[in-house]
Amino acid sequence: MTIQTIDFGGSGRTLHFSHANGYPPRAYTPLLDALSSQFHVVAAPLRPLWPDSDPDSIQSWLPLAGDLIRELEAYPNRQVVGVGHSVGGAVTLMAALQRPDLFHALTLIDPVIMPPLFARFWQAVTWLNLGARVHPLVKSAQRRRRSFANRDVIFESYRKKTVFQYLDDTALNIYIDALTQPQPDGSLTLRYSPEWEVKIYLTGILDDPKVWRALPGLKVPLLILRGQHTDTFWPRTARRVQRLLPGADIRTIPDSTHLLPLEKPNTVAEEISRFISERFGGSNGINH
């Protein structure tokens, strides 16, 4: 299936962005607009946003990495700056481990990567078919409200959620616009189905042991940005990455959570641009 890549404009080296579970690419518009001052920014939706896509088409995240590889193979100018948030970060890393020739550099924003012991625990949970009972986010996703009478209703509902406590009203409105599809009667429905959201949760980190084994051989410069108050990219995960890849650059963004690219878009954009400049010279590495 050919997926419509979203072009956020800009010029220079291509920067490809991969989004998080439940957060369509346009939810990151402030970040991607900021990056477009130095890069040509594009984003391809993951499978959950493909028309008529089936959640049962995946049993792990490796097929999502394959989707990204096929997307990048079609680009006329190879070696993109690969940027991904959450599952998008993990998928971008998986793709780079398989095909480093497609990447100029990587920035993973609070990627979903867990220590090997935890990943093996999750493999056992999955084998026992207990994932839906054990995963802390599955039940809430299964109960996710799918339609809203109008925009005010969804804004008031989401404004109260703890997960969005560090998002200002502008960022929250951009997220709502990205997530919802207006209907003829004025109501709004979700673009991102709860079934897909659950599937991404349940199939996550199953391939992390493979990622850890391959990580020391990563041939692409790596920056990881994590939120100071993240519940996803743990400090011990960061320490393990640093041991296996001493050259990796891991930075913590103050006063942010797992949603740091929505909470601190300008800071994240500045860190990415600075990383590329430090590693390659120039504003985006074109002159290297």
Side-chain angles (χ1 to χ4, degrees):
M1 178 181 293
T2 301
I3 302 305
Q4 185 64 48
T5 299
I6 302 172
D7 193 328
F8 286 85
S11 60
R13 185 175 291 276
T14 299
L15 182 151
H16 180 279
F17 181 80
S18 189
H19 60 89
N21 189 22
Y23 292 80
R26 293 194 188 279
Y28 302 86
T29 295
L31 168 65
L32 302 182
D33 281 350
L35 288 167
S36 69
S37 66
Q38 296 189 38
F39 303 95
H40 175 209
V41 179
V42 296
L46 297 176
R47 279 194 201 195
L49 291 168
W50 295 8
D52 302 318
S53 60
D54 182 5
D56 289 334
S57 66
I58 66 168
Q59 300 304 320
S60 77
W61 290 355
L62 277 178
L64 305 182
D67 296 338
L68 176 55
I69 289 171
R70 286 187 290 275
E71 171 77 16
L72 298 184
E73 284 177 333
Y75 286 7
N77 299 317
R78 294 290 183 90
Q79 288 203 319
V80 303
V81 175
V83 180
H85 175 221
S86 193
V87 55
V91 166
T92 300
L93 176 60
M94 290 177 184
L97 288 169
Q98 294 179 54
R99 291 290 306 276
D101 59 299
L102 297 175
F103 294 90
H104 181 62
L106 298 179
T107 295
L108 312 180
I109 307 172
D110 230 61
V112 182
I113 306 170
M114 293 294 173
L117 185 60
F118 189 91
R120 292 189 183 94
F121 160 76
W122 191 250
Q123 289 175 335
V125 167
T126 301
W127 183 77
L128 293 170
N129 199 29
L130 296 175
R133 295 185 185 182
V134 175
H135 199 293
L137 299 177
V138 165
K139 288 185 179 179
S140 61
Q142 290 172 330
R143 296 193 299 265
R144 186 84 66 225
R145 185 172 175 180
R146 300 168 186 260
S147 63
F148 299 82
N150 56 57
R151 207 177 181 291
D152 290 341
V153 172
I154 189 171
F155 181 84
E156 291 173 7
S157 173
Y158 281 26
R159 185 68 286 176
K160 298 173 184 175
K161 293 181 180 293
T162 302
V163 68
F164 300 130
Q165 62 182 319
Y166 290 116
L167 265 66
D168 60 28
D169 286 354
T170 298
L172 183 58
N173 276 312
I174 291 170
Y175 169 62
I176 290 170
D177 287 341
L179 182 65
T180 58
Q181 175 69 49
Q183 300 302 310
D185 63 359
S187 65
L188 299 170
T189 57
L190 297 184
R191 298 179 190 270
Y192 205 108
S193 77
E195 290 80 14
W196 258 115
E197 188 177 356
V198 168
K199 188 68 171 186
I200 294 296
Y201 287 142
L202 293 180
T203 53
I205 75 172
L206 290 174
D207 292 307
D208 277 12
K210 298 176 184 176
V211 171
W212 287 114
R213 287 194 294 271
L215 190 61
L218 182 68
K219 298 178 175 63
V220 182
L222 172 64
L223 168 67
I224 297 178
L225 301 176
R226 60 184 301 275
Q228 180 183 10
H229 306 296
T230 180
D231 58 358
T232 303
F233 192 74
W234 300 340
R236 71 173 184 262
T237 310
R239 290 192 294 269
R240 184 177 181 86
V241 171
Q242 203 77 78
R243 286 198 303 272
L244 295 175
L245 276 178
D249 193 341
I250 302 177
R251 306 175 188 176
T252 299
I253 306 301
D255 303 319
S256 64
T257 71
H258 181 59
L259 297 184
L260 69 156
L262 282 69
E263 298 163 346
K264 305 277 188 178
N266 291 329
T267 301
V268 170
E270 289 167 3
E271 292 288 355
I272 295 171
S273 296
R274 181 157 64 94
F275 170 70
I276 297 299
S277 178
E278 289 171 352
R279 290 301 178 101
F280 300 102
S283 61
N284 59 19
I286 292 176
N287 297 323
H288 178 69

